[in-house]
Amino acid sequence: MTGSCCEHPATPDWRDQAACVGEDPEIFFPLSDLAAPGTEASLARAVCRRCAVLVACRDWALEHGEDDGIWGATTAAQRRAIRRATTEPTPAVGRHRDKQE
């Protein structure tokens, strides 16, 4: 007997477990990219905050360079800042101190 593709179900995709499934997609792509409370993004971010896969969603958006919409409760501007912070070299503190004996 040969194996079939259906004998071992594929690993569930995080998107299938997302709290935004069934929500209006328009709320996740607001016209303004502001993160302050009361902005258009606040409704989408409220959905994200109750989501069990928030981190997977945010990580996916960061890894794939998603520059539009709300992903994992972050705006495009926040994700750009995260990418900059994780790709910029950090200065070495105390590496060039002279030793005095």
Side-chain angles (χ1 to χ4, degrees):
M1 181 172 186
T2 61
S4 79
C5 67
C6 300
E7 285 179 22
H8 302 285
T11 304
D13 192 294
W14 62 265
R15 289 171 275 212
D16 296 333
Q17 302 167 37
C20 59
V21 171
E23 295 283 345
D24 180 1
E26 299 243 345
I27 69 170
F28 297 94
F29 295 91
L31 296 176
S32 83
D33 193 23
L34 302 174
T39 65
E40 295 174 0
S42 64
L43 179 58
R45 295 178 78 199
V47 172
C48 293
R49 282 192 291 275
R50 64 177 164 82
C51 184
V53 294
L54 181 146
V55 174
C57 178
R58 183 193 61 220
D59 290 349
W60 183 93
L62 287 167
E63 290 170 12
H64 290 87
E66 186 59 61
D67 279 336
D68 293 309
I70 307 299
W71 293 82
T74 60
T75 64
Q78 290 171 321
R79 290 189 304 277
R80 285 189 296 272
I82 292 168
R83 281 194 296 270
R84 275 193 309 272
T86 58
T87 59
E88 290 178 357
T90 55
V93 177
R95 287 180 93 190
H96 299 289
R97 282 191 279 182
D98 292 329
K99 290 185 180 181
Q100 295 181 356
E101 295 180 21

